[in-house]
Each structure stands twice: as C-alpha cells, then as structure tokens.
Amino acid sequence: MELPTGHRARNIERAIAHYEAALRIRKEDSDPVAWAATQANLGTAWELIPSGDRQANLEQAIACYEVALRVFTEHAFPVEWARGQVDLAITIDNLPTVFRAPNSRRAIARYEDALRVFTEASFPLDWARVQGNLGTVYADLRDKEPLPNLKRAIAYYETALRVYTKQRFPVEWATMHNNLGVAFVKLSREGEAHWEEAISSFELALTVRTEEDYPKDWATTMSNLAGAYAELPDGDRKANFDRSSACYEAALRVSTPDSAPFQCLETRKNLAHLFFKKQECDEACKRYIHAIELAETIRNTALDNEGRQRVTRESWLLFDHGVISAVRAGHFTAALELTDQGKTRSVSDQMWQRDTVPNGVKKQEWDKYQELLKTASALSTVVRTEPDHPETPAGVQSGNAVQERRRLRAALDHMEAQFAAKDPQYLPFARSLEIADFRAVSQATGAVLIDIKLTEHAAYAFFCGPGDAEISAEQVLLLPELNGDKAHKLLDDWLETYYVRPTEWRQYLDRTTGLLYDRIIGPVHKRLLARYPGAKRLVLIPNRELHSLPLHAAWWTT
C-alpha cells in the first residue's frame, strides 16, 4: 500500500485484497491482536483508496476501525486504542455530507478521547498532531455562533506550536502558521479584525514554504495571503489590492492549467473578483473570460462526475460576474454571449452522459463513445487524486495520464462533432449562441428576442431584433428590482401558497402576476416600444427561477 512506485489506486486495491485474505485465517477469537491489527490496516486502505464511491469507502473504513477497537481497548492497548480514535476522527470528519456539523462533533469527541493517552509529556508528536487536527475541525465547524469555534481553533494551533518548532519540525510549523492565518481571516470576517495577524501568519509560513522547496504549499499560502490583502480594510487600499494581485499572479507560476487545473481556476477566479471589487470592469471582464476559458477546458477533460460537478459549482459565479463586468465595461455583445454560454453549460451539464442516443448515430458508434468516456473518466480520477504521479490505469496505453487524457479528449471531441452534425438538437453537445445566431433566429421568426439574466446583484434584459448586428447600450435593460435572491423568494412564496395555502391562491395569483409586470415585463414593455416600435412578436428567454414563474400572465391596470 505504501509502494513509492506504480499506480496508487491499484496498489491499495491489492492491499485490500491481501488484508481480506488474511482475515479469512486470522480470527478474532483465536488470534485477536493480529486480527485487530489487520482490521485497522484494512480501514486505512479503505480510507486512502482514491477510486470508487468516496462515501462508501469511508464508511467501510469506519466499520473496520470500530471492530478493531473491540480488541484494542483503552485499558489493554492504550496506544493502539488512541490511534484508532484518531483514525476514526479523521475519517468521520472527511465524510462527504451536506451538513457536516454533526460529524465534526463526533470527530472532536474522538480526538478528545485520544488525548487521554496522547499527552504532551508522553507522546508529544501524537499530541501535537491531535491539537492541529482539532484546530482544523473547529476552524471548519459551521455553527450558529462561529466566533467561539474559531477562537478554539486558534488556541489549538498555537498549542501545537509548543512541539512543532521551526528548528525541529519546520514543515509542520509552517502548516500550523498557514492554518492560523486561515483561522484569523475567518475570525476577521465575523467582525473581530485580525487581518494583521493573518498576514503575519502567512508570511511566517512562507519562510519555510518556498517556491523552490515546497511549490504547491507555497502557491496555497500565496493565494491565502492574496485573499487577506484583498480584504484588508486598513491602510492604502490601492497598495493592498496591488499586493493581492501580485500574490495571485505569483501563485499562478505553480498552479498551472496542466499541473493543478482546479487550483489554477480558483486563483484566476479570485483575480477576476479582485478587479471586480476594485470596479475595474474592463480588466475584470477579461479576467472572468480567462477563467471561463479554463473552466471550459477542465469541463471537457474532467470527464468523471465529481470533476464535472466541481467545475459546474466553480463556474456559475464566473458567468454572473462576467456578465455584470461586461455590461459595466460597455461590452454589451460579450455580455449577451456570456449570458447564453452560462445557460447552455447549465443545461448540457444536466443532460451530460444521459442514456439517450443522438438521432442518426449507430449503436456501435455510441457504444464506442461510451467506452472512451469510461476510460477517460478513470484517467480524470487518477489525475485529480494523484497529480504527482499520474500513471495510466491498467488497460490504457502506457505513459503519463495527463497526456493520455488529452489524446482521448481529442478523440471524443471528434466523435461529438460528428454526433452534433447528425443531430444538431442534441443538447449535451450544443454550442452556445453568438450574436449572429441570435440575429438569425430573430430574422427567421420575425421576433424580438429578449434574453433575461439573473445575477446575485441585479437582472439584465438583452434585446436583439432582426436587424441587429451588435448589442448597444439601448438594447440592455437593468432590472434593479430583481436579483437571484428576490426571484428565489418570489418562487418559494408562489409554490408555498399553491401547495400549503390553497385558499389564498387566487388572491396571491393576482398579486404575483402584478409584481411580475412591475418588476420585469413592464420595464421590458417600455423599452420594447422605444427601441422596436413596430415589433409584432416577442420571444422571452428567462433563466433560473424565472422559468417557473408565470411571466406570460403578467398584467397591468391601465
């Protein structure tokens, strides 16, 4: 399992098979110590394996650790018992659940139990490790009152530094200071300003985490330092922004699209947010487009479900802020195209890898495509979980997994282009629309197209008529009374009244459809009459919650 060479996932799979074979001979009643040790090792293997269902793997690990503790009791085997508590704490806290607080509390209890054995005097390294782990759990614990948890986290990190000195344990010392910086940032966001302490902690970590010796850790801490400077409320704001920008740019020397695509995307996104916050809209727009281009590349190469879900989560804010920046910078055509690109990606990701076969595609072609997808998915998992040694899985051409994945992506792109040519309406392969496509649809239908984009700040309506070659300021309408949160609440109230308070439905129907006119259709109507006075047909293209609201029934009183 700890072989330094070979494919890590396959090595761990072999280890699991060997441990399970050993358990057919080692029994709890006849050889309890060997049996418990094998169960604990099996738990570690299930915890570390990068392939398969992450939730199921961790639950299997927990089961193995727990049965091992039937033998490794605190009284009979205190050290093994304490290490079992730590293993359980780590695994429980890593369970991928939506509401993490209950598992975090379970992990804390296990760590605290382990400290009955792992004292600073008797087991200083184990003690310090538990202190640091407790700090991380408390720093990430989401409760109604986060301040006490963050202060506990800081206390645990500082306590661990009694053992983790820079002279004896420089790597661990730097990790504690990086984690302290993160905790100070979180504490500052909750209203207790500790920005200077955060920056100082990151700078201390960087005395060990250098670009030459620890490039990935260096890039992580540089990004953290950049974030702290970006939010620092004191001093020269321009100088702080410049320092932040320089740190992010430096981190990108290590976090490249090939070596660390998701970290690169995160850093590009943060750089774009920085210029957005500075209200440098033209530069922000360029940066968002730059980040979106990388997100599209990752989306096309991260062919496993986890990778695609992650890039989808990362992308939605890029499109929202990209549209806002483009409008504010006067790049109105780009804003419309980004609006449609975001919608297309949302739909195609929901439709991705469905069983439906495109029209005109033969079964053997589709089967070959699915087989290539399966292989590429395995490669994506390898690249994501083993970035330092991305060797190809069994059954795939030998060589670097990154290069092999690119080769497979090129083959898949070619097949998808053929499928799209045979069935242009097949949504998973659909391209986003450009201004020429909007104009063509408008001309073919004789309609004015109105594409509505909801963002967290406001909503925009983009108008495109049969004769429009570009989008001008007159064709972009700000809807200030509408944003994502307001639309979400409107939809929630609409559905709740229909299903929970049906006796109020008719009255609420009139009120809601009146609001829709006031906030959306009325301003659109006014701009339509001014810009396209002879328009006879209108096509509304909503997004998000607006799809489920009765825009067609909006009304006015005069």
Side-chain angles (χ1 to χ4, degrees):
M1 188 167 66
E2 297 180 2
L3 283 174
T5 59
H7 185 267
R8 185 164 178 262
R10 289 205 298 274
N11 290 340
I12 296 177
E13 288 169 2
R14 293 189 189 103
I16 289 173
H18 288 307
Y19 288 136
E20 290 176 340
L23 288 171
R24 292 197 291 270
I25 298 172
R26 294 176 175 176
K27 301 298 182 182
E28 183 177 6
D29 53 355
S30 59
D31 195 358
V33 175
W35 174 86
T38 305
Q39 289 285 0
N41 290 338
L42 181 58
T44 301
W46 279 114
E47 180 187 352
L48 296 178
I49 190 167
S51 57
D53 185 304
R54 180 69 172 155
Q55 174 92 21
N57 292 345
L58 293 179
E59 289 175 352
Q60 186 67 44
I62 290 169
C64 292
Y65 290 140
E66 287 178 335
V67 296
L69 291 175
R70 295 208 300 254
V71 173
F72 291 149
T73 63
E74 183 177 6
H75 176 72
F77 299 94
V79 175
E80 290 78 4
W81 175 84
R83 286 179 181 152
Q85 299 300 324
V86 172
D87 290 337
L88 273 169
I90 293 170
T91 311
I92 289 169
D93 194 47
N94 284 333
L95 283 169
T97 56
V98 176
F99 302 105
R100 295 193 59 198
N103 286 338
S104 297
R105 293 290 182 191
R106 290 170 61 200
I108 288 168
R110 295 285 185 173
Y111 283 132
E112 290 174 342
D113 285 346
L115 288 175
R116 296 206 297 265
V117 174
F118 289 154
T119 63
E120 184 177 6
S122 301
F123 299 93
L125 289 181
D126 291 300
W127 174 85
R129 180 192 180 204
V130 173
Q131 297 292 324
N133 289 356
L134 275 167
T136 300
V137 176
Y138 272 113
D140 293 338
L141 184 57
R142 296 179 180 178
D143 274 352
K144 292 180 180 179
E145 297 181 5
L147 284 177
N149 294 331
L150 291 168
K151 290 178 179 178
R152 288 189 190 100
I154 290 167
Y156 278 119
Y157 290 140
E158 290 176 338
T159 301
L161 288 170
R162 297 210 298 256
V163 172
Y164 290 151
T165 63
K166 186 176 184 181
Q167 293 72 27
R168 295 185 63 201
F169 303 101
V171 173
E172 291 79 4
W173 177 88
T175 299
M176 290 303 105
H177 279 290
N178 177 77
N179 293 350
L180 270 169
V182 172
F184 279 126
V185 166
K186 291 181 177 180
L187 193 61
S188 301
R189 289 172 180 164
E190 295 298 328
E192 285 198 13
H194 291 273
W195 294 109
E196 295 296 342
E197 290 94 330
I199 289 170
S200 176
S201 296
F202 292 136
E203 289 176 340
L204 284 170
L206 289 169
T207 63
V208 172
R209 291 182 164 188
T210 63
E211 185 176 5
E212 296 76 19
D213 295 332
Y214 304 99
K216 291 185 178 179
D217 291 334
W218 172 83
T220 297
T221 304
M222 286 296 286
S223 293
N224 290 340
L225 180 60
Y229 273 123
E231 296 186 59
L232 184 62
D234 303 323
D236 186 332
R237 294 292 288 157
K238 182 181 183 305
N240 292 340
F241 278 130
D242 289 344
R243 291 188 188 102
S244 177
S245 176
C247 289
Y248 281 134
E249 294 283 10
L252 287 172
R253 294 202 299 265
V254 171
S255 300
T256 66
D258 280 340
S259 67
F262 283 105
Q263 291 86 340
C264 182
L265 176 59
E266 179 71 17
T267 306
R268 286 190 185 182
K269 179 181 73 174
N270 288 337
L271 258 174
H273 288 345
L274 181 67
F275 286 105
F276 184 85
K277 190 174 181 179
K278 290 171 68 177
Q279 297 185 6
E280 294 184 15
C281 296
D282 188 65
E283 186 64 25
C285 180
K286 293 175 185 176
R287 298 285 184 163
Y288 282 121
I289 291 173
H290 195 213
I292 288 168
E293 288 171 353
L294 177 56
E296 290 293 280
T297 300
I298 297 173
R299 178 182 173 274
N300 289 335
T301 54
L303 292 167
D304 57 328
N305 282 321
E306 184 176 341
R308 290 183 72 93
Q309 289 169 5
R310 183 174 175 184
V311 77
T312 298
R313 290 193 300 270
E314 294 285 343
S315 296
W316 73 268
L317 195 58
L318 294 176
F319 283 110
D320 272 17
H321 281 194
V323 169
I324 295 170
S325 300
V327 169
R328 291 177 179 174
H331 305 313
F332 304 117
T333 300
L336 171 61
E337 292 176 344
L338 282 172
T339 293
D340 187 73
Q341 187 179 1
K343 293 180 182 181
T344 302
R345 289 299 163 260
S346 177
V347 173
S348 61
D349 279 331
Q350 293 176 40
M351 295 287 294
W352 179 69
Q353 214 172 338
R354 293 282 181 91
D355 294 333
T356 307
V357 181
N359 292 325
V361 175
K362 296 178 181 178
K363 183 179 184 302
Q364 57 267 35
E365 292 177 310
W366 189 249
D367 289 344
K368 180 181 178 182
Y369 174 73
Q370 293 294 324
E371 190 61 35
L372 285 177
L373 274 179
K374 183 178 178 181
T375 305
S377 176
L379 284 167
S380 290
T381 300
V382 170
V383 172
R384 191 180 67 252
T385 57
E386 303 179 45
D388 295 326
H389 304 285
E391 299 179 9
T392 54
V396 181
Q397 294 182 16
S398 62
N400 186 280
V402 174
Q403 296 172 352
E404 180 62 15
R405 186 180 59 172
R406 287 180 187 150
R407 186 191 69 79
L408 282 172
R409 182 65 256 178
L412 288 165
D413 283 343
H414 179 68
M415 295 185 75
E416 289 173 4
Q418 291 180 320
F419 297 161
K422 293 179 179 179
D423 186 0
Q425 303 304 315
Y426 188 69
L427 282 176
F429 303 146
R431 66 174 178 85
S432 56
L433 300 181
E434 298 175 354
I435 183 62
D437 300 305
F438 279 94
R439 185 173 66 252
V441 172
S442 180
Q443 289 172 345
T445 59
V448 175
L449 309 184
I450 301 179
D451 201 342
I452 302 175
K453 170 67 175 176
L454 276 176
T455 75
E456 62 177 339
H457 295 288
Y460 297 94
F462 298 90
F463 295 71
C464 183
D468 293 328
E470 295 290 336
I471 302 298
S472 66
E474 191 182 6
Q475 294 161 258
V476 181
L477 174 65
L478 173 67
L479 301 170
E481 296 301 315
L482 188 66
N483 59 29
D485 287 341
K486 290 178 180 178
H488 188 75
K489 185 178 187 309
L490 196 61
L491 180 59
D492 274 354
D493 292 345
W494 171 262
L495 294 175
E496 181 186 353
T497 306
Y498 183 81
Y499 288 107
V500 180
R501 303 192 305 274
T503 56
E504 304 173 25
W505 168 246
R506 180 54 65 89
Q507 181 181 358
Y508 192 79
L509 173 66
D510 288 343
R511 187 166 74 88
T512 300
T513 48
L515 274 175
L516 290 174
Y517 185 85
D518 292 340
R519 295 183 180 181
I520 305 173
I521 303 301
V524 166
H525 190 186
K526 183 177 179 181
R527 179 64 59 88
L528 184 69
L529 291 174
R531 180 70 173 79
Y532 304 95
K536 301 296 183 182
R537 190 177 182 192
L538 174 67
V539 175
L540 280 177
I541 310 170
N543 80 315
R544 290 174 48 176
E545 290 84 357
L546 298 183
H547 282 294
S548 302
L549 289 168
L551 298 178
H552 62 283
W555 61 277
W556 64 99
T557 55
T558 58

